[in-house]
Structures are given as structure tokens and as C-alpha cells.
Amino acid sequence: MAVVQGETIDEGPGLSSAIAVGEAIADEPASLHRGAKPVGSLKSVVAGVVAGLLAGIVAVTNAVSYATLVYGGDLAVHVADGINAGLFSAAVAGLILALRSTYSGTIGIPQHVTAAVLGIMAASVAARMGPGAGAESVAATVLVMIALSNAICGLTFLTLGALSLGRVIRYIPFPVVGGVMAGVGTLLVRGAISMLTGESFSIATVPDLFTSDVAAMWAPAAVLGVVLWVLTRRFSQAWLLPAVLSAAAAIFFLVLFVTDTTLSEAREAGWLLGSFTSDRPLLPIDLQMLEAVEWTVLPGEAMNLGSLVVVATVTMLLFASALDVAVRHDIDVNRELRATGLANLLASFGGGLPSFHSLSLSVTASRMKVPPRVVSLTSALVCVFVLVFGSAALAYVPKPILGGLLIYFGLGFLVEWLYASAFRLPRADYLVILLIVAVFTLVGYLKGIAVGVAAGIVLFVIRYSRITIVRHALSGLDLHGKLDRTEEAREILRTTAGAIAIFKLQGYIFFATAHRVLDRLRQRLDDPLQPALRYLILDFRRVSGLDASAVFSFEKMVRYAEERHYRIVLAKMSDDVASQLQRAGILKHASERVQVFPGLYRGLEWCENRILSTSRGSDIGIDGDIGSREVLKRRLIDAFDNEAGMQKFCAYLERRSVATGTYIIRQRDRSRDLFLVESGQVTVRLEAKPGEEGTRLHTFGPGAVVGEVALYLGKERSASVIADRDSDILVLTVPALARMKEDDPELAASFHEFIARLLADRLTDTSRLVTALLD
């Protein structure tokens, strides 16, 4: 039921309306939710009892209408059993949820969503038994079928709650939920018409509905359903539904009085429920009754039972989640599953209908600012009272009232999911909803769910296949290793690193997306503007998994590598991905055409080292381009114009020798010294916790400068610098820099210019990388 300016009285058709109810209530001024008097206050308790009586009347009405929906058509002679079961369910669910729910004001009743499916199952069981089956056998078989269905729903709820799987609803495609809910809307309307006319409804019998005699049976209920739908969209008062139903009942009996129609005549004409007499006890399932059950027909409803469990679970989770928002109370969905499961399991002993949270009734206490548990317990006790003492009065309930209530619920589903969804959902999602409803109507409910799930899967595959699996396609010119290079090495890489292609992959790679990686590779191989490919790096850091077709695509890449004479570097693979590639035999090419590295930058540095070694000879070791202590000397001479300037600057420096593993800078320290690496190697690491290895940010050799940011800003160190090997470090302290400014301002200015050029150079590299990533 769509929500406008507040809550609706019914539960709503699904996710959209359920959340809308919660949001509509949550958006009200906080003053509306405050002001509930203390629970111990007599006035507060009396107000809560009145609110509970109001909610109980609605609960009884709903339970009776859903029972008549289940026991429609030829089963109408057994409707007394259905009403008994419906009231029993409302009483048990109401009491259990009032005492065990996270929110003490929760009211549980049978639901129209599950009643519509149970109606199909009950009619199917009766049809399977055939006209030759005895009335007692049919009644017993249908009642046991309902009891078993409710017990299985209860066990499902209990299991999901025990395993903390309350968030399972997130994995159901939204269009499938919408299609099922719209289909339930058609079932409710069709069930109401069948109950009112006593005839089975189908597409072929639609013209018969408009004959004068038949139309007179369902038209008043249709008018009432439309009036209810319009009024509840326009007004949000909690008393509106019982008030309209009471007024409709008064009009009905006034018409009987004016037309001089007796109650017996009205009952014979099918306008009243009929005599509500049942020779069964409150817990009707006993050994004697079980002997009359035709057990062989029950397995035939297994598929429909699966649909019932799915629909019940989805709807229950939707309503419980929306209640969290509606009453501004943290709802433990798994606890709700356990409580609801227990309630349905107990109710199944009385042939009860599946029951769970009534969203609109559960917010009664919040709406009327009264103690929640008083409301929920009073509502449950009303159901108990009617079940034990007031069943005779139900014989005088007008069928158009119950039919109108069912049509009202059905209209809510249909308007929201067939009309409103057309404006708020993507066209493909809406077409899935239409497809499900069409199959529901023309073929059957179960097949409609199956088609919907299949369509949802196909839609997901199509959409997911459009996601770019190659998140970034870079070259060695865009992304550099974290190993510090000499100017000579950097110059070589500027002209040759374009032979390195880097594909940063993402997501789950499967049959619909694996070809995209191959397509990008073919484009790179055939691009005449690019240098011949020598190294292909595949970064798997953001890959969640891959299927067999993706493995086949990687096999093709290896074949291309052998034909085009390039190497493949696989970086940052998860254990699962590595295991799949290992089983496929791809990693057997390791050291030939395939190399594996624990991280992207390690693999990139390996590629750069190989390019440098072939470009300059054999003076580059496997550890990278570390260089000699002359590198720093040449760099300082360039910075201070001549050797004399370099020597003047070095006079302000302190030389320190550090052993392997020594912290030169420790993350979060507030030291402000600047360090220049004369010889050896240091690595900058970002540590999650002090003492951990952390993430390698960069590796520097001779000539490197580290610590310049803290020198100028005076803030704590953002990363640690650790010696990878025995190293000689030159240190510029803050006092030394102050003396330099005072003694030789020109030298200090040259130093600042040197640092500015250093930062500009690093910023240029970073900007180039960002531009490449955003391209």
C-alpha cells in the first residue's frame, strides 16, 4: 500500500511501502513520539487498553478475512476450520511477539501475502483428491497441509535466526520481490472475487463477472476496497480502517432492513459468512483426524510450499526491518526471526496460518503515545476472547466487508508495483515485474516465481557484464615502481617504460566479463602508436574471484605471450585465484612467460629492472638501482651550483651510520630533522600499528631526501623510515637550519629552492598518475 503523509493501515505490498511507512513515521516531529505517560500510570494503562482493543478488532477482522481467502470455492463449507485456525494464529503470534520481540509493542497476525499462497495450495489439494473424496478427508487433509506449511515456515524462521542470517533478504533482486508482490496483489483480488461469487476465477471466466447476477455479488466489495484505498492514502489516522468497516457493516444491515431481507435469506444468497459451527476443539489436530488425511497428495505441494516459505521469509524480514525505522527502536532481525519462528511452530498445532509482524498495528503505541506492551498484549487477548467466546457472532459478518478488505489489500499491491513502479524503476526492472505478473496470471504462481528468478539472474548478468573489469589500463610511463632511481635510470625509463602495460582488474571475472580483458589486451597489442609490448602486469588486488571461462581467457593470454614474445606478471592474487590458475596449469609457465609477485609494485620494479639491465648492461642488480655515494654528491653540487657551495652546506650536516633495521624516522614522532641518504637503502612504510611492517610506500637509495614535510610543518611524522641495509645518513637538524639562515641566508635560500624542486618533482609524478587513473 503506498504511503502518503504517514502510515497505512495494512502491511503494504513489500519493501517500498514497508520502508515508506517507517520513514513517514520517523520523519514526524519528535514530539509525536514523546509524551507517553509512565507505564505505571493508570491513565496510561487505560489508554493502552483502548488502543489494544482497537488493534485487536482489526487483527480479528484480518484473521477472518484471510481464513475465508484460504477456504474459498468448494472449500467454503469448511471455512469454520479456517476461521478457527486464523484466530488461533493471531492469538498465539500476538502473545509470543508481545513477550519476545525486540520491540514490546509488536503485534503479530496472519498475513494476506501467505494466505493468498495457502489459498492456491488448499485448492490444489482439494482438486488432487477429486470429487469422490469424503468431506471429512478433504477437511483433514487441507488442515494438516496448512499446519505442516506453518511448521516448516516456523522452522525456517528459527533456523535463519539461529544462524544469524536475517540479512539474507539483501540477496533477493528487487524486481523479483516487486514481481512477487504484484503477483500476490492479483491473487488477493482473484481470491476475493472467488470468495464472493463462489466460482473459480480465471481469464476465461472474466466476461461472466460482468453479468448482472454475478456483478451484484462482487461490485459492492470492489467499491468498498477502492474507498478504503483512497481514504487510507489521504488520511493516516489509526482508527480509520475499523471506522470505515463499521460504517460499511451498518450500511449493509440497513440495506437488508430497507429491502425486508431476513438474515436467513441473506445467508442463503451468500451475503453472510454463514453458520460458524465447528465440531473441532481449539487444537483440532489429533490422531483420529490424522487417520482421515490423504497423505499421498501432500508431496505434490512441495514446490508451492517452497514458494510460501520464500514469500513468508521475504515479507517478514521486510516488515521487521521497516519496524526499526517506524518506532525508532533498534530491532534485532535475528531475534525477530526466532520469536516469529517459535510463534508459527506453536500455532501449527492448531492448524494455524503463517503469522508475523503487522507493521501498521505495531506502531499503534507509538502513534497513540501509550505503553507498547499493554497495546500488544490487549490486542492478543482480544483474539483469544473471540476465539473462545465470540465465534458465534462471526456468522453475521457480511462477505462484502471481508471481500472489500481483501480487494483493498490487493489494490495496494497492484497500484504500487504495477503503476508507481513504472515511474521509479529502470525500464528493465519494471519489465521483469510485468513478466512475473503475466506468468502468475496466465500460467501459475510457482512458474511466475521461477521465471522471475531466472529473469533477475539474466538481468544481473547483463548489468554486471557492463562493469569495466579493467579498472585502470596504465603503462610504465604512468605508474612507476617504489624504488628510487638515479636520473640516468629515470631517463631510460621515460623512453622505454611504455613497453610495460598494467591492467588493474576488479570484481568477479566470469564468462560475461572475461572477454573484456582479452579485448583490452588485443587493443594494446595491435595499437600502432604504442611500442611493442614486453611486459603485461595484471593486478588482482580488487578481484574477488573468477570462474572457469575466465581461466580459459588467461590461458589465451599465455598463448598470446608466447606468440608475441612478452612476459605476463600476475600480482596480488588471492589464494583462491592462485589455486584456480595453478589447477589450470597457467602457473606452470612461471619463470618462462609468467611471473608471480605478492604486490603490484614489486612486479613493476622487476619489469623496470629488466628493462634497465638490457639498456645499460649488467650494472643493475636484482635489488634495483641503488647507485653509489657519489649520487648524493652530484645532486648537492647541482643544487648549490658548485662543489664549494655543496661543501658549505655539508658543514651544517651530521653524519650517522645506521644498521639494518634501524628506525631513522618513527611514525607519529614529532622530530623535525631532515635526512639525506649518502649510501645504503631505506624504505618508507606506513604502519597500521607501531612495530608492524605496514605498507611499503617507497624505497630510496643514495641521494634521497626524507623528512622534509615535518621539517617545515612541525607536525608528527606520517610514516616510518627504516634502514634496509647498513647505511650512512646525513642529518640536517632544526637548530642547524636556523644557524644557516643566520650565517648564510643565500645558502639557506638555495637549500629551500632545492627542497621546492624536490617536492615539485614528486608532485609532477603524482599528478601524472592521477591523470592516468582518471582517464
Side-chain angles (χ1 to χ4, degrees), residues 613-683:
S613 65
T614 57
S615 300
R616 300 194 310 186
S618 59
D619 60 332
I620 302 297
I622 61 173
D623 291 330
D625 184 30
I626 302 304
S628 67
R629 65 176 65 238
E630 291 297 319
V631 174
L632 179 60
K633 181 179 180 180
R634 291 198 302 268
R635 192 169 190 180
L636 292 179
I637 290 175
D638 290 340
F640 295 97
D641 296 332
N642 50 54
E643 188 169 351
M646 181 269 293
Q647 292 177 349
K648 289 170 59 178
F649 173 71
C650 288
Y652 290 93
L653 304 178
E654 300 176 9
R655 177 175 277 103
R656 298 177 187 172
S657 295
V658 295
T660 302
T662 300
Y663 273 81
I664 300 168
I665 294 175
R666 193 175 293 274
Q667 186 174 323
R668 299 184 184 88
D669 281 357
R670 287 195 170 273
S671 64
R672 296 180 59 186
D673 297 341
L674 178 78
F675 301 89
L676 299 92
V677 181
E678 185 178 22
S679 66
Q681 178 178 311
V682 300
T683 291

Side-chain angles (χ1 to χ4, degrees), residues 694-705:
T695 302
R696 184 176 73 112
L697 300 180
H698 208 92
T699 298
F700 291 104
V705 178

